[in-house]
Amino acid sequence: MSAEGVAAWLLALLAANGTSMFDCFCNQSANRELSYSEEVIGLDYCSSHRFYSLFEICLKPGPAPAWMAAVARLVPVNSGLELPQPELEGRWATGDEGCGGVLAAIHELSWEEAIELACHLVCRIPADCIDTCSLQGLNDTEWNAESLTADHVRRPVLSQLVNAVQRITTAIVASRRCDDYQYIHFGADTSNRTALKAKVQVRLESFSTYWRNSAQLFSLGVTYISQLFIPLAFEHMGNHTNDQQLHEWVKNMKHLRNILDTKLRGWLHDVQAVSELIMNYKIEEEKDQPGNFVLSEPHLYDEVLDYHEQQLFLRDNFSALCENQQPQASQMFGLADALYSVYRSFRFNTLQTLPYAITNTIDEAWQLEDQSNATLNVDTDCMQLLANALDHPTCPLEELPPETIKQRQQCRVQLWDDMVQRRPHIPVTSYLAYTQRANVNLCLLAWMTANSLSICQDVPFSITQSVRDARCYFDTPNNQSCLESKVTDAICSVSRAILLLKCSDFYSSERVKHCSVGLILETKDRYGSLKYISYDERRPTRTTLNYKDSLNRATLKYKNFKIDFLKPLEISFIAVNFVFRLLTAAVYVYLPVLRNLPGKIFLSFQITGIIQILCSEVVYRMTGVPDLPTIVLIDSSLTLLSCIWLNTFCYQMYACVRHLRLPNDLLPAEASEVFRRQVLYALMPWIIACTVCTAFEKTSNYYLIHSRVIFLVCISLSVAFNLLCLGLAGYLFIRNRNSLQQLKISTNNKFASKKQLVFMSVKAVILSGIGVIIRIGLHQAEGIAQLVYYVHIATMVQGPLLFVFFICNESTLPVLKNRLLALWYPDIIVPGQELCSSAERNLANRINVQFPTAEISL
């Protein structure tokens, strides 16, 4: 047979029978001298599928872990090596149609013909596997203690699955080799550009076919990896477990299988997404430069796979957490990491540069903008949940309570809602409002959300979907219909893309030290062996260590918005504040001299403060009713009402100085009528502001900032009005005093003592409401929970201050003391009552230069 006839015969044999006819060549050529053609076939077809690598954390010196032997069983072998040597010799005859004929024919091939045959052999492997590697009837296998311990059930199924995974793994690697051949033989002639365009189009189609076939094979491999995970682990690390522990072992392995399947499904989604998008590659002629062709490549598609996580690190992250629950946790997690690494280590070809083709990426500029300094306003309960999840991670093998799962899902929805609306800083009008919302760095939020210990463990990590979702988020923030992820998964997907592509200060690609582990096929071992063949240690740089430390420190400020060890102190201050406010209100009700118009207004201010304490600090803290947003609305509205009462009080002070009229000059009926009118004036703007804020806040969370701005503006205007009234009152007093001095009117009585000046100054500060603005301003110190908590505790001293400066003065305290003494000792004669007639007492009051009641009211 001529050389051309030999090559044609081998190709015909390959087309008719597949690659199985050539497997004996690999076995027969192991220990003999080969010709050039045999070396080509041996190198390209036989040797290229016997070595696979994975990346693992370097093991400590000692015995090899059990998972190494388990992974070694998945090393692909040629079908011919699965049979004993005598059976091989019997199966392959020495005639022209048998192994001897194949060996002789390959020996006669030229170098070029051997390369062509090797190309056809390698390309036939994935094609055959797509048709024959799929298994039927194994999807319903439910692994439990009974089925695992039954050898006649477990071993046949595991054998089929292992064999299928071996063939699929071989086919995936062969598919890449086949595409390499396609590129090598591309050899485009640049002289004829029309022919070049057609040839490039053929190359694009073959490249698309390569990705599509690889994705199909990869899907099968992921399916079977998940199915064989439990029986494979049982044979190598679970078969010595006693019956009592076996049920718990199977339960934990099912959880771990679901985790592995979730991780592999994310990688599979990426491969499938790229295979679909590569079909959109187009070659077009440039309009400005006829004869030059442009290859339009979709945005990042195959290159973005480099951002995908290369290792799981389940063993390092969770082994210690799960030791109590499962003593073999380290081995179990090691097997999951290794199986993931085997499939994740497959490298897929990219489209190499084509002649006269300029690769353009579409809309790539969006990813170049660094978002490391961007901030976002989010729900603090969810931030607390993220911080707690990172600070106190749980073993993933545990079954989380349904309420915990529901809480995590609700937080994912809430955080996504916050991210979509991109709320800026929301003004804080109370301490409760501070505990409701928090400003967080966007990249830090993405890191806390997408961390492997956080709330996204059950969401597959697909970098291609994350990129799509992130582009949707950044390009069309008000229209999220383009998102592929579910609402409950969107925050996880977008956070991963933000962290990888937009946070240069928060993401580091440095890895801890790792070793390259080779899976090597040896003929003496049917399943092959697994050994360390190279050692590649990359220690984390100082920059990486500082980066990780900064992230851990950054999350600390979102922990414990309530400081536990300060809780007794807080309760004590709240109780003291409530008691003294109640005492102050009781004194104003008890003393007739304080029941004038300013006294009634001040009493309304006190009652409002008491109600605010009862609602915010007692009822809500004890029962949790109503919900936090509602109680924040109530607390803010009562703060505004307190400021409005101060407005009315300060206006009465200004009116008294302006008209030179004392509060007691009004008759009781007239005072009551004026008070009712003042109450109406105070409640009207308060009701309007509260109604508008409630409407904004209850309509949609998006309008939350509007309600807070309205409250803050109203409180600020109220305080400004207080300052204006107090300033006008002071100005009028100074002007009147100067006028009296010009009239040469003099007196020996001083204006006031130093103690009285201090009391009046402190009263003016309290009545001005400056303390409310200072407290709100300090509450804006986002991220420093302990400082804001101290401010909150400090505001609880307002009750004692009001009692001291409004009751314990030289005018009110003696009156109160005399009234109380009169209750205990009815016969005692108090000062001012020793005269024998009311006429004399009235005369004494008229000539008295001091007016205690006027001073009390002012």
Side-chain angles (χ1 to χ4, degrees), residues 121-362:
L121 282 170
V122 171
C123 292
R124 184 60 185 267
I125 293 175
D128 288 346
C129 188
I130 290 176
D131 297 332
T132 62
C133 286
S134 179
L135 300 177
Q136 303 296 331
L138 297 180
N139 296 333
D140 299 331
T141 304
E142 179 62 28
W143 296 111
N144 50 40
E146 291 74 19
S147 59
L148 284 173
T149 53
D151 294 345
H152 67 282
V153 176
R154 182 189 72 256
R155 288 179 177 174
V157 174
L158 180 59
S159 178
Q160 293 182 62
L161 290 171
V162 168
N163 181 263
V165 170
Q166 290 175 349
R167 294 183 61 197
I168 291 169
T169 305
T170 300
I172 292 175
V173 178
S175 180
R176 182 182 182 185
R177 295 279 297 174
C178 178
D179 185 71
D180 289 338
Y181 279 122
Q182 297 291 337
Y183 175 69
I184 292 174
H185 294 289
F186 176 66
D189 183 10
T190 60
S191 60
N192 189 341
R193 295 189 176 181
T194 303
L196 171 63
K197 181 178 180 180
K199 200 165 187 178
V200 168
Q201 192 64 42
V202 173
R203 173 68 185 119
L204 291 178
E205 292 176 359
S206 67
F207 186 69
S208 177
T209 301
Y210 154 68
W211 269 94
R212 186 169 59 252
N213 292 341
S214 298
Q216 187 174 351
L217 292 169
F218 199 85
S219 177
L220 281 175
V222 169
T223 300
Y224 297 147
I225 283 287
S226 298
Q227 291 181 9
L228 65 78
F229 180 69
I230 293 179
L232 183 66
F234 178 80
E235 285 216 349
H236 290 271
M237 61 186 68
N239 51 2
H240 300 297
T241 306
N242 58 48
D243 295 339
Q244 184 178 359
Q245 297 175 344
L246 184 57
H247 291 279
E248 187 66 23
W249 185 90
V250 173
K251 179 181 176 181
N252 292 333
M253 288 302 297
K254 288 182 178 180
H255 283 297
L256 186 54
R257 178 192 61 188
N258 294 337
I259 296 173
L260 176 62
D261 187 68
T262 298
K263 298 298 184 181
L264 287 175
R265 291 292 169 186
W267 177 233
L268 174 61
H269 182 278
D270 287 339
V271 176
Q272 291 175 333
V274 172
S275 67
E276 294 173 1
L277 295 170
I278 283 178
M279 291 186 290
N280 297 327
Y281 284 21
K282 297 179 180 178
I283 183 169
E284 300 173 351
E285 188 173 6
E286 286 188 315
K287 296 181 180 179
D288 300 335
Q289 298 179 353
N292 288 340
F293 298 99
V294 175
L295 176 66
S296 297
E297 181 182 14
H299 172 70
L300 285 179
Y301 289 149
D302 54 346
E303 296 177 4
V304 80
L305 295 180
D306 294 336
Y307 290 97
H308 203 287
E309 55 184 352
Q310 297 181 356
Q311 295 171 270
L312 287 185
F313 298 108
L314 290 174
R315 189 177 70 236
D316 286 354
N317 290 338
F318 299 112
S319 293
L321 291 173
C322 300
E323 280 184 354
N324 294 333
Q325 179 176 345
Q326 179 54 253
Q328 297 181 1
S330 178
Q331 296 285 356
M332 295 160 59
F333 287 129
L335 176 60
D337 286 349
L339 290 177
Y340 176 85
S341 183
V342 168
Y343 264 57
R344 175 59 184 88
S345 64
F346 289 141
R347 302 292 298 174
F348 295 93
N349 284 344
T350 58
L351 190 61
Q352 291 94 338
T353 304
L354 299 175
Y356 292 94
I358 305 174
T359 302
N360 290 338
T361 53
I362 303 172

Side-chain angles (χ1 to χ4, degrees), residues 831-842:
Q833 293 183 352
E834 67 276 2
L835 300 177
C836 59
S837 68
S838 60
E840 291 178 340
R841 289 197 299 272
N842 290 337

Side-chain angles (χ1 to χ4, degrees), residues 375-380 414 417-418 421-430 432-440 632 636 697 700-712 776-777 779-782:
T375 59
L376 197 68
N377 196 275
V378 298
D379 182 85
T380 52
Q414 176 65 49
D417 183 60
D418 294 339
Q421 294 167 8
R422 302 187 187 183
R423 294 175 182 151
H425 175 68
I426 296 180
V428 178
T429 53
S430 68
L432 293 174
Y434 172 80
T435 63
Q436 184 186 11
R437 311 293 303 176
N439 282 338
V440 61
V632 167
S636 300
E697 198 152 333
S700 171
N701 289 334
Y702 182 75
Y703 299 104
L704 177 64
I705 185 173
H706 297 158
S707 66
R708 298 292 168 76
V709 168
I710 290 175
F711 271 128
L712 185 60
I776 292 175
H779 284 171
Q780 309 305 311
E782 293 283 350

Side-chain angles (χ1 to χ4, degrees), residues 809-840:
N809 52 50
E810 295 178 354
S811 56
T812 305
L813 188 59
V815 177
L816 177 62
K817 182 178 68 174
N818 294 334
R819 292 277 296 192
L820 294 177
L821 288 175
L823 289 176
W824 291 100
Y825 305 102
D827 298 333
I828 193 173
I829 299 175
V830 298
Q833 293 183 352
E834 67 276 2
L835 300 177
C836 59
S837 68
S838 60
E840 291 178 340

Side-chain angles (χ1 to χ4, degrees), residues 754-784:
K754 292 182 178 180
K755 180 179 178 180
Q756 290 173 332
L757 287 174
V758 171
F759 268 58
M760 285 189 294
S761 301
V762 175
K763 285 181 180 179
V765 172
I766 293 175
L767 295 176
S768 68
I770 294 178
V772 177
I773 293 298
I774 294 175
R775 183 187 70 203
I776 292 175
L778 290 174
H779 284 171
Q780 309 305 311
E782 293 283 350
I784 313 176

Side-chain angles (χ1 to χ4, degrees), residues 75 136 160 259 261 374 384 614 631 730 749 796-798 839 842:
V75 177
Q136 303 296 331
Q160 293 182 62
I259 296 173
D261 187 68
Q384 190 77 68
L614 288 175
I631 197 64
N749 297 326
M796 295 295 107
V797 302
Q798 189 176 29
N842 290 337

Side-chain angles (χ1 to χ4, degrees), residues 388-431:
N388 291 340
L390 296 176
D391 192 35
H392 305 288
T394 58
C395 174
L397 302 181
E398 297 178 4
E399 288 189 4
L400 296 176
E403 56 272 14
T404 302
I405 298 175
K406 183 179 180 181
Q407 185 183 20
R408 290 189 173 188
Q409 291 178 344
Q410 289 176 345
C411 270
R412 295 210 301 243
V413 174
Q414 176 65 49
L415 290 172
W416 174 242
D417 183 60
D418 294 339
M419 183 174 285
V420 169
Q421 294 167 8
R422 302 187 187 183
R423 294 175 182 151
H425 175 68
I426 296 180
V428 178
T429 53
S430 68
Y431 172 73

